[in-house]
Amino acid sequence: HVQLVESGGGSVQAGGSLRLTCAASGFNFDNYCMGWFRRAPGKEREGVAAIDIDGTTAYADSVKGRFTISKDNPKSTLYLEMSSLKPEDTAMYYCAAERAPSGIPVIVKYGLGSSSLNHWGQGTQVTVS
């Protein structure tokens, strides 16, 4: 079955950087669109970044130019490089997977709801002060 395990979260000062990792297993990573989402206290879960099977990426406007999503297919691993972090980036960060063709890029780009997605990791906390 699909398993997603996030790591790399932590506490950093504003302006700092973090690299999140999502280790995937139980499915053919090459055929799945991947995304990073986050949920801040008291807020709805929102899409942050997405990467499709051909490497095409999409970002929420709030993170463009600061966050970079990438993947390593042979390692079945998804990454999120975060720089110039702001206090408003504080949230639990989750990775999600959906077999292509997937709506994840559209969800992320247009800020749509993600309740239709079925495969999620347990999350990793990012705190920016």
Side-chain angles (χ1 to χ4, degrees):
H1 68 284
V2 173
Q3 189 168 12
L4 303 168
V5 180
E6 302 94 333
S7 61
S11 297
V12 296
Q13 292 191 336
S17 300
L18 278 175
R19 186 197 202 197
L20 304 185
T21 298
C22 173
S25 61
F27 62 101
N28 189 337
F29 190 76
D30 293 16
N31 294 338
Y32 275 66
C33 181
M34 303 294 296
W36 286 100
F37 292 75
R38 67 186 181 187
R39 176 177 278 151
K43 294 189 176 182
E44 296 289 321
R45 184 170 59 199
E46 64 174 353
V48 174
I51 186 163
D52 216 329
I53 58 173
D54 63 355
T56 303
T57 58
Y59 296 93
D61 287 344
S62 59
V63 306
K64 278 181 183 176
R66 300 189 298 122
F67 291 11
T68 302
I69 189 171
S70 62
K71 61 176 181 170
D72 185 330
N73 283 349
K75 293 184 178 179
S76 295
T77 302
L78 178 72
Y79 303 100
L80 185 67
E81 297 275 2
M82 306 186 295
S83 62
S84 301
L85 283 162
K86 305 175 182 180
E88 50 264 44
D89 294 318
T90 294
M92 184 72 80
Y93 283 71
Y94 302 89
C95 69
E98 186 174 60
R99 185 176 176 86
S102 166
I104 290 179
V106 173
I107 290 171
V108 167
K109 185 174 181 180
Y110 296 104
L112 305 179
S114 56
S115 59
S116 63
L117 303 178
N118 294 318
H119 304 301
W120 296 92
Q122 84 290 346
T124 186
Q125 177 68 38
V126 172
T127 303
V128 185
S129 59

